[in-house]
Amino acid sequence: MTKWRARLHEIIFEADTPEGKAFDVSLIWLIVCSVILVTLDSVESINAVYGRELYIAEWCFTIIFSIEYILRMLAVNKPHKYVFSFFGAVDLLSILPTYLSFFFPGAQALQAIRVFRLLRIFRIFKLGIYLGEADLLSNALRASRHKITVFLAFILATVITVGSLMYVIEGPSNGFTSIPVSIYWAIVTMTTVGYGDIAPKTPIGQILASVVMIAGYAIIAIPTGIVTSEIARASSHKVSTQTCPSCSLQDHDIDAKFCKACGHHL
């Protein structure tokens, strides 16, 4: 890595130096102001009076964030690693809506996704405990993905079966006009949402609905138990604010000297 690129990486990606922290804190304020601006722009009365000023301000923010995005790609040895990372995707999605508004009017409202960029605040202020807990939760979800997939497949089969039964029992005369509509009712009922737009009228249908409602409470607890068990197995560890300049990997151990993925010096 060349000297200028290493210096650029230190300022943009690291929060351990005064320059890096100043850059990130300034970025946080820009993001906050931008999100507030997008929110105000959606208010019709405000837009009617200050629409032009808000439009110009949004383009200023977009240009600044676009330059920042380009600088981030220049600061790493492998730009595609940053582009396809979580923060890289959020950074890109935060500037695209403004450009897309040329082709799709109203797309600029999606700029509110910039609020996800505020997640960098955990790294900026060295809240390592939160980084560690986030990493712990991420690992638990990843470890339980197979169990959750099986669980979702079981739920899908259940709502299809219950929906089909309810369609046969109640029929179109009671609002269950098709199997898809009945499946929608089964999903709403099993998740205990209960919109009430469709309800069984016959005694048999009401008995089936009661069973589905009671089962819904038990089913909701299953994925929670799966993830909780994985969290119990995992162990938390402290992480630093270091970002690998080669592969852009984050969340290294607090005492790490080299990247655990590519071996590059941190």
Side-chain angles (χ1 to χ4, degrees), residues 140-163:
L141 290 172
R142 192 179 302 111
S144 59
R145 65 186 184 277
H146 299 300
K147 296 176 184 177
I148 293 177
T149 299
V150 173
F151 168 75
L152 291 177
F154 170 77
I155 294 300
L156 180 62
T158 301
V159 295
I160 290 175
T161 302
V162 172

Side-chain angles (χ1 to χ4, degrees), residues 231-247:
I231 292 177
R233 296 179 186 178
S235 58
S236 177
H237 63 279
K238 294 182 179 181
V239 294
S240 69
T241 62
Q242 293 286 333
T243 300
C244 177
S246 178
C247 68

Side-chain angles (χ1 to χ4, degrees), residues 158-180:
T158 301
V159 295
I160 290 175
T161 302
V162 172
S164 300
L165 285 173
M166 192 59 76
Y167 173 70
V168 173
I169 294 170
E170 295 292 327
S173 60
N174 291 326
F176 294 82
T177 56
S178 65
I179 290 180

Side-chain angles (χ1 to χ4, degrees), residues 7-257:
R7 179 59 177 165
L8 188 63
H9 183 276
E10 181 180 348
I11 294 174
I12 294 178
F13 283 95
E14 306 297 346
D16 294 329
T17 63
E19 297 87 352
K21 188 170 184 177
F23 174 86
D24 284 337
V25 170
S26 300
L27 179 62
I28 290 297
W29 280 111
L30 286 173
I31 295 169
V32 170
C33 292
S34 176
V35 172
I36 293 174
L37 183 147
V38 173
T39 304
L40 293 176
D41 187 50
S42 66
V43 180
E44 187 175 349
S45 59
I46 296 177
N47 181 270
V49 179
Y50 302 103
R52 179 173 175 78
E53 290 80 0
L54 292 172
Y55 179 79
I56 294 174
E58 177 49 42
W59 269 107
C60 290
F61 281 119
T62 299
I63 291 173
I64 292 173
F65 292 142
S66 298
I67 294 173
E68 178 223 346
Y69 183 77
I70 294 172
L71 290 176
R72 286 184 181 275
M73 288 194 294
L74 292 175
V76 294
N77 290 334
K78 299 176 181 178
H80 66 279
K81 292 287 187 179
Y82 160 70
V83 171
F84 292 104
S85 67
F86 171 76
F87 281 117
V90 171
D91 292 345
L92 178 60
L93 290 174
S94 70
I95 60 177
L96 279 181
T98 304
Y99 297 110
L100 289 176
S101 63
F102 281 120
F103 310 99
F104 306 100
Q108 63 270 20
L110 296 175
Q111 292 155 356
I113 196 175
R114 287 175 184 169
V115 71
F116 284 102
R117 303 191 72 195
L118 294 177
L119 291 174
R120 283 195 171 93
I121 196 171
F122 295 118
R123 187 171 303 280
I124 294 170
F125 294 105
K126 299 183 179 180
L127 302 181
I129 184 172
Y130 294 101
L131 293 174
E133 295 301 325
D135 187 56
L136 177 65
L137 179 60
S138 175
N139 291 336
L141 290 172
R142 192 179 302 111
S144 59
R145 65 186 184 277
H146 299 300
K147 296 176 184 177
I148 293 177
T149 299
V150 173
F151 168 75
L152 291 177
F154 170 77
I155 294 300
L156 180 62
T158 301
V159 295
I160 290 175
T161 302
V162 172
S164 300
L165 285 173
M166 192 59 76
Y167 173 70
V168 173
I169 294 170
E170 295 292 327
S173 60
N174 291 326
F176 294 82
T177 56
S178 65
I179 290 180
V181 170
S182 300
I183 291 174
Y184 156 78
W185 170 86
I187 294 173
V188 169
T189 304
M190 185 167 289
T191 55
T192 70
V193 175
Y195 288 128
D197 52 345
I198 306 174
K201 302 295 191 300
T202 65
I204 298 178
Q206 291 171 347
I207 292 173
L208 178 58
S210 300
V211 173
V212 172
M213 284 183 250
I214 294 173
Y217 285 104
I219 289 173
I220 289 174
I222 294 176
T224 304
I226 292 174
V227 176
T228 301
S229 65
E230 293 296 338
I231 292 177
R233 296 179 186 178
S235 58
S236 177
H237 63 279
K238 294 182 179 181
V239 294
S240 69
T241 62
Q242 293 286 333
T243 300
C244 177
S246 178
C247 68
S248 299
L249 183 69
Q250 302 175 349
D251 301 340
H252 292 88
D253 292 342
I254 197 70
D255 57 348
K257 301 298 182 183

